[in-house]
Every structure is written in C-alpha cells, then in structure tokens.
C-alpha cells in the first residue's frame, strides 16, 4: 500500500465509506430530533388535557402517555447512536491499512481479530452488527481505519460494506483464533501442529456476587429487601398519584373541601410521574449514593453481580429500562435480553460493605 493508492487515503475520502458515515450520522440526528419532538408533544398534550374537557381531554391524555413512554427510550437510543456516529467519524479521519480478519460469534455478539501483513495479531474488536452476510470470512483481506486496540472502521476492499468495530469495556472478548495460542512464544503466530491442543477447555463459571452463598455478605437481608422494595414502590406511586390528582385545579379544590367524589385524576400524569420518580430514585440517586430511598431506610446498598462493586450509571440505566420493558416483552411473548440475571442487581447490607473495606 502506498500513498497514491486509494487504500492509503483517509477512510472518509472513499466514496462508499463516506456515504456510510453520512447515513449513520443523519440517522442519529433524526432519532435525536424525534426524541425532542416527543418531549415537546408531551408537554403540549398535557397542557391540552388541562385546558380542555370531554373527549378532547381524554385523547390528549392518551397522546401524552404515549409520548412519555416514547421519549426516554428514543432519547437513549439517539444518544447511543450519536456517540457511535462520532466514533465512526473519528475513525474515518484515519488512513486505511490492509489486514486479515478472523471472526467468532458468541451468542448475539460478533468479534473479529485483526492480523497485519507480518502475520501478527494487532487487535480484537467487537462488531457493531453481525457480518455473516457481509462477505467477511476467516482469512479475508479487508481494509481497516482506526486504532486496532480501541475502535475503527472495517470494510471490504474499495470501502464496501463498512462496519464499525470497537473494544467494549463491559464485554470480555472470547479466546478464539490467534488468542488460543497466546503465550506459546510467538503471540501472533501458530505453534507446530503437533503442539496444538485439540480443544480449548472452558474455564469454570465465575460465581455471581451478592448471592445467598456469597460468604462476603453473610448478613441476612431477604426481609429487608422485600420491605425496601415495597417502600420504594409506595413512594413512587404516591408521587405519581399526588401530582396526577393535584395538577387539575378542580381536583385541588376537591381535596381542600374533602369532596372526594369530584376528584379528577389525570392518569397520564400519574403514570408519567410514577416512572419519573422511579427513574430519579433508581438511576440518579442510586448512582450517587448506591441506594434508593427504601433501601437506605433498611440499610441496604446495591452491588454488581459480576464485580462485587457498586454498579455504574449505565448499568443502573440498563436495569431500569429492562425493568420497565420486561413486562411488555413477557406479555407479548417477545425475546428477552440475554442473561436477564445481569439486570437483577443484588442488595446487601451496608455493614457488610464496611466490614470488607475495613478488612482490606
């Protein structure tokens, strides 16, 4: 590859790759615009439901509820797509290099190993989407632009079928291809055939932290967890019902006069503020303090099943989203997330956490 060859040019200067970058960026902006539109529509329909009466108010309530349920997942999707588009554009500013790929599929994830012209392994990345139908095969020569240890663009010669590959810190790359023989003296090459193992034994599964059999957290907590959950749900429901009932001036007057028969509850606002209270408590507050209001009352904190440490904000957000969407998936007989136990964070006694810190 030389400087005058198209493959030595920057990735974004290749027409097919340039179109892919433009399309993915526009797609992310459209999703973000849709999220903003849903937010504006939500406040508009809430205002209509409070100022109008009869069937118009009922339809406005339904539309406000629909917009509220749509705005959060669309916003999260738009942010993720925008961040991925930015990383694609960064990689597009790098120059192409020719590499050979070996691929491996683990469940719903697709991985590729990048091997340079010296037959050395230079990186293992996760693909943004499956490549089984994109023309890539083991030993295929492809173009790569980016940092093979972090992220980059992978394309067939000419820039066709450009895909984004990245190193995800929350996904551990499986051992396959060249990594099966790492440590044999030549990390990039293969040992003689007679020295190659016939199979790769699977490592023992890592025990989940925070379970009943985890001796690091010996204090009983089942009753505390149940009571904390009931208290959290009660607080969230009370916030939703309170705001939904007091948002209407007629309802406020009925409460002041204790005329419960004329109490008018805006159910769209009840559901909306219930979810908002749940989000603030279970995601934002829990990210800062590692506990919710209910868990704090009973001396509990949440931990990550895989690491035993406090979960990060993105894990708490994923747990909350799955908790909201899972009932719909189950009732609709849809596909549930892979390893659903990852989205059930264990709660342990804060005293056990303090004892572990003191011992260490």
């Amino acid at each position: 590859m030389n400087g005058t060859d198209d493959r030595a040019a920057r990735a974004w200067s290749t027409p097919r790759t340039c179109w892919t970058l433009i399309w993915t960026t526009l797609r992310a902006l459209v999703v973000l615009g849709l999220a903003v539109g849903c937010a504006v529509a939500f406040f508009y329909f809430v205002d209509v439901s409070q100022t109008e009466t009869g069937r118009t108010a009922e339809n406005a309530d339904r539309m406000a509820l629909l917009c509220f349920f749509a705005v959060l997942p669309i916003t999260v999707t738009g942010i993720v797509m925008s961040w991925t588009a930015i990383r694609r554009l960064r990689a597009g500013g790098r120059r192409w290099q020719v590499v050979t790929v070996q691929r491996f599929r683990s469940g719903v994830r697709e991985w590729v190993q990048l091997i340079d012209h010296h037959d050395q392994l230079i990186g293992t990345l996760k693909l943004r989407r499956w490549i089984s139908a994109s023309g890539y095969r083991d030993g295929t020569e492809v173009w790569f632009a980016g940092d093979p240890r972090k992220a980059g663009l992978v394309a067939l010669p000419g820039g066709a079928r450009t895909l984004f590959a990245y190193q995800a810190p929350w996904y551990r790359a499986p051992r396959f291809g060249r990594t099966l023989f790492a440590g044999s003296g030549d990390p990039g090459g293969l040992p003689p055939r007679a020295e190659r193992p016939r199979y790769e034994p699977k490592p023992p599964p890592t025990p989940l932290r925070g379970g009943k059999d985890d001796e690091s957290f010996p204090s009983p907590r089942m009753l505390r967890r149940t009571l904390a959950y009931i208290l959290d749900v009660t607080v969230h429901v009370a916030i939703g019902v309170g705001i939904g009932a007091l948002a209407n001036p007629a309802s406020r007057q009925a409460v002041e006069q204790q005329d419960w028969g004329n109490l008018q509850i805006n159910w769209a606002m009840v559901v909306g503020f219930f979810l908002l209270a749940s989000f603030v408590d279970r995601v934002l507050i829990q990210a800062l303090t590692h506990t919710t209001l209910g868990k704090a009352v009973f001396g509990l904190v949440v931990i990550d099943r895989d690491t035993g440490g406090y979960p990060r904000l993105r894990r708490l957000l994923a747990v909350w989203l799955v908790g909201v969407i899972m009932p719909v998936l189950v009732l609709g007989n849809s596909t549930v997330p892979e390893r659903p136990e990852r989205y059930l964070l264990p709660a342990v006694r804060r005293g056990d956490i303090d004892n572990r810190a003191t011992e260490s």
Side-chain angles (χ1 to χ4, degrees):
M1 181 181 297
N2 53 59
T4 59
D5 197 335
D6 284 342
R7 292 174 293 179
R10 299 188 185 277
W12 54 260
S13 64
T14 306
R16 294 182 179 180
T17 301
C18 182
W19 167 247
T20 300
L21 296 176
I22 294 174
W23 164 244
T24 53
T25 304
L26 290 177
R27 186 175 57 186
L29 294 177
V30 168
V31 175
L32 281 180
L34 183 61
V36 174
C38 288
V40 173
F42 169 75
F43 290 108
Y44 170 76
F45 286 120
V46 168
D47 182 68
V48 171
S49 66
Q50 294 177 351
T51 56
E52 300 292 337
T53 58
R55 190 173 185 82
T56 302
E58 294 178 358
N59 293 334
D61 285 341
R62 296 191 186 98
M63 295 302 299
L65 183 61
L66 178 62
C67 292
F68 182 86
F69 277 115
V71 67
L72 186 59
I74 294 177
T75 301
V76 174
T77 303
I79 293 174
V80 173
M81 292 176 63
S82 299
W83 173 240
T84 304
I86 292 174
R87 298 182 72 185
R88 288 176 187 264
L89 293 174
R90 288 178 179 175
R94 306 287 288 270
R95 297 187 181 277
W96 288 119
Q97 58 178 314
V98 176
V99 298
T100 305
V101 296
Q102 288 183 333
R103 65 187 184 91
F104 177 79
R105 178 178 296 174
S106 175
V108 297
R109 304 184 183 97
E110 189 88 14
W111 302 82
V112 290
Q113 289 180 346
L114 307 177
I115 304 168
D116 63 9
H117 62 283
H118 296 296
D119 202 31
Q120 298 294 317
L121 176 64
I122 59 176
T124 301
L125 302 176
K126 180 183 179 296
L127 286 168
R128 185 65 180 171
R129 63 181 177 89
W130 292 358
I131 59 171
S132 57
S134 298
Y136 297 122
R137 297 292 184 269
D138 288 346
T140 300
E141 184 180 89
V142 300
W143 292 1
F144 177 78
D147 187 344
R149 295 168 299 177
K150 295 181 179 179
L153 300 175
V154 182
L156 292 175
R161 297 171 182 172
T162 303
L163 300 177
F164 181 65
Y166 61 99
Q167 185 66 256
W170 51 89
Y171 292 134
R172 180 178 299 178
R175 297 186 63 193
F176 69 98
R178 299 301 176 93
T179 56
L180 289 178
F181 308 102
S184 60
D186 181 7
L190 298 178
R193 183 175 296 276
E195 300 179 9
R196 300 181 190 179
R198 295 184 178 181
Y199 64 94
E200 176 66 18
K202 294 183 178 180
T206 303
L208 298 178
R209 310 303 297 271
K212 294 182 179 180
D213 55 348
D214 191 348
E215 297 179 356
S216 301
F217 308 98
S219 301
R221 54 191 181 273
M222 181 61 69
L223 179 60
R224 289 172 178 261
R225 290 177 56 184
T226 303
L227 295 176
Y229 176 78
I230 294 175
L231 179 58
D232 278 332
V233 174
T234 301
V235 171
H236 302 162
V237 171
I239 292 175
V241 173
I243 296 178
L246 298 179
N248 193 324
S251 295
R252 289 199 298 269
Q253 185 177 1
V255 171
E256 293 174 356
Q257 299 177 358
Q258 297 185 357
D259 185 8
W260 309 114
N262 292 325
L263 185 64
Q264 300 178 8
I265 298 179
N266 189 326
W267 292 107
M269 297 189 66
V270 170
V271 176
F273 280 96
F274 165 77
L275 293 176
L276 180 60
S278 175
F279 175 79
V280 172
D281 188 24
R282 295 178 55 192
V283 179
L284 301 182
I285 294 178
Q286 199 161 219
L288 296 174
T289 64
H290 316 302
T291 184
T292 62
L293 298 177
K295 295 185 183 72
V297 171
F298 294 96
L300 299 175
V301 293
V302 293
I303 62 172
D304 193 303
R305 287 183 178 271
D306 297 328
T307 65
Y310 294 127
R312 306 177 73 174
L313 177 62
R314 60 170 174 259
R315 173 59 67 85
L316 294 173
L317 178 60
V319 170
W320 184 82
L321 288 174
V322 170
V324 173
I325 299 173
M326 183 69 76
V328 180
L329 297 179
V330 173
L331 293 176
N333 197 23
S334 301
T335 303
V336 299
E338 184 183 10
R339 291 186 61 192
E341 68 275 5
R342 288 170 54 90
Y343 303 97
L344 300 174
L345 298 180
V348 300
R349 299 278 287 273
R350 186 181 291 274
D352 291 339
I353 297 287
D354 297 337
N355 293 337
R356 290 182 60 193
T358 303
E359 293 175 358
S360 60

